[in-house]
């Protein structure tokens, strides 16, 4: 049993913290929204983030964006100062690489960036994938806990490497989804059925996760969001956020990424036109109209 502080109990954090409670750990939780703390029965409700971190061996955060993470760790009364010197701090939020590195460098504690893939369903089911950057020894210490919230934890390298892996992966996902949508729309224009394209491409070199697990048109993959009017899933606004992080990192690194930039532009337009709350595969409707 470990003593754990868990801060940020939204769509993702609450089910992750519940899985740690279920695994028998002593979990102290904090969220700025007091009602969010009710979502983790069996956890101690702390009065502040610093209080949740006091005496903890591990501190997890699952917060919206980089500014919240920087503030939570390095701000006045922040987690870095409030946690015991030997604690391992683990940020599971999806944020920019630069902030992850800054918190690791300035916090004075073992700090890991550990964003996740798998969404709310994965958080509920304990099947997330963690991609982790930071010290190898700290990773080894926290790995058993990650595997109680997920089914894979990959140590990707030094501080920021977890966020870098997440940004690269989601940019690939956006691009394969968009080109899969374009292929289905082209098939429609050419009189080729969705099922026929699926049957060919899923057994050929056009195969991808976007096609075979998350097919953007209804029919071929019954479990995909296309079959439930594009209720997420993974929302287009979160995809836009992740593309912004990837392209921001690319610009900072001096790399020009034509396909990534185009994907960002298309998802930005989809969100501006009201698609932000839809699953990211719902962009097929906009592709069809253009
Ligand atoms: P959310 O908005 O549902 O939850 C965030 C929670 O953090 C809220 O309850 C909010 O009150 C709390 N919070 C904000 N600032 C705080 C602070 N300073 N101290 C304490 N609590 C604070 O967001 P979410 O969907 O749970 O996503 C969290 C992170 O996970 C994001 O970075 C997101 O990009 C990433 N992510 C989300 C998904 C998904 O499908 N939702 C999938 C993968 C990754």
């Amino acid at each position: 049993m470990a003593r754990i502080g868990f801060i940020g109990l939204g769509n993702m954090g609450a089910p992750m913290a519940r899985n740690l409670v279920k695994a028998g750990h002593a979990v102290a939780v904090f969220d700025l929204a007091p009602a969010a703390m009710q979502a983790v029965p069996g956890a101690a409700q702390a009065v502040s983030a610093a209080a949740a971190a006091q005496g903890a061996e591990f501190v997890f955060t699952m917060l919206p964006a980089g500014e919240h993470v920087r503030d939570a760790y390095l701000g006045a009364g922040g987690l870095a100062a409030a946690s015991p010197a030997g604690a391992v701090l683990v940020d599971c939020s999806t944020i920019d690489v630069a902030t992850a590195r800054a918190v690791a460098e300035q916090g004075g504690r073992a700090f890991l960036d550990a964003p996740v893939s798998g969404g709310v369903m994965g958080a509920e089911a304990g099947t997330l994938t963690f991609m982790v950057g930071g010290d190898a020894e700290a990773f080894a210490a926290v790995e058993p806990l990650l595997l109680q919230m997920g089914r894979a934890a990959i140590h990707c390298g030094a501080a920021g490497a977890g966020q870098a892996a997440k940004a690269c992966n989601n940019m690939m996902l956006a691009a394969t989804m968009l080109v899969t949508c374009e292929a289905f729309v082209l098939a429609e224009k050419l009189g080729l059925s969705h099922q026929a394209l699926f049957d060919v491409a899923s057994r050929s070199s056009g195969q991808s996760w976007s096609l075979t697990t998350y097919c953007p048109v209804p029919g071929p993959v019954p479990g995909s969001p296309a079959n439930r009017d594009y209720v997420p899933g993974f929302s287009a606004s979160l995809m836009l956020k992740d593309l912004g992080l990837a392209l921001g990192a690319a610009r900072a690194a001096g790399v020009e990424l034509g396909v990534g930039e185009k994907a960002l532009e298309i998802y930005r337009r989809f969100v501006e036109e009201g698609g932000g709350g839809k699953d990211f595969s719902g962009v097929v409707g906009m592709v069809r109209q253009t």
Side-chain angles (χ1 to χ4, degrees):
M1 184 199 79
R3 291 188 307 280
I4 297 170
F6 204 115
I7 290 100
L9 305 161
N11 294 323
M12 295 293 290
M16 290 167 71
R18 281 200 293 272
N19 282 331
L20 291 173
V21 171
K22 235 183 268 170
H25 301 294
V27 183
V29 294
F30 177 73
D31 192 289
L32 285 181
M37 292 194 270
Q38 313 287 344
V40 192
Q45 297 182 13
V47 296
S48 65
Q54 266 161 30
E57 297 159 87
F58 300 93
V59 176
F60 289 92
T61 45
M62 195 48 162
L63 301 169
E67 66 262 29
H68 307 98
V69 173
R70 182 186 284 270
D71 206 49
Y73 283 95
L74 303 178
L79 294 166
S83 56
V88 177
L89 313 181
V90 189
D91 177 45
C92 299
S93 326
T94 303
I95 66 166
D96 57 292
V97 174
T99 298
R101 288 187 179 147
V103 176
E105 277 162 23
Q106 294 166 33
R109 297 282 184 279
F111 174 85
L112 300 170
D113 50 293
V116 303
S117 165
V120 177
M121 276 163 64
E124 297 275 0
T127 57
L128 294 170
T129 296
F130 290 86
M131 38 212 109
V132 187
D135 178 65
E137 220 176 282
F139 172 73
V142 80
E143 191 180 13
L145 300 183
L146 300 182
L147 294 177
Q148 286 167 339
M149 296 184 282
R151 65 174 160 213
I154 298 145
H155 186 224
C156 300
Q163 297 297 349
K166 171 86 182 172
C168 291
N169 179 74
N170 280 22
M171 186 178 70
M172 290 161 74
L173 172 63
T176 58
M177 177 54 77
L178 285 170
V179 81
T180 302
C181 291
E182 289 188 346
F184 276 109
V185 170
L186 177 60
E188 290 165 9
K189 303 285 181 211
L190 300 178
L192 175 66
S193 74
H194 290 163
Q195 192 63 47
L197 174 58
F198 180 86
D199 290 343
V200 170
S202 62
R203 292 176 179 82
S204 306
S205 42
Q207 192 274 337
S208 72
W209 186 91
S210 294
L211 178 73
T212 54
T213 301
Y214 228 71
C215 186
V217 294
V221 178
S224 80
N227 299 282
R228 45 173 206 269
D229 202 21
Y230 302 100
V231 171
F234 183 54
S235 74
S237 58
L238 277 178
M239 176 53 90
L240 179 61
K241 173 195 167 184
D242 290 358
L243 280 170
L245 293 172
L247 274 301
R251 275 176 227 123
V255 195
E256 238 179 80
L257 302 175
V259 174
E261 285 287 359
K262 191 71 190 171
L264 175 67
E265 187 190 305
I266 294 171
Y267 272 106
R268 186 182 292 132
R269 185 152 67 85
F270 184 50
V271 169
E272 280 168 5
E273 289 179 5
K278 287 194 174 173
D279 187 79
F280 80 110
S281 60
V283 73
V284 69
M286 192 180 83
V287 171
R288 196 175 275 123
Q289 283 157 21
T290 43

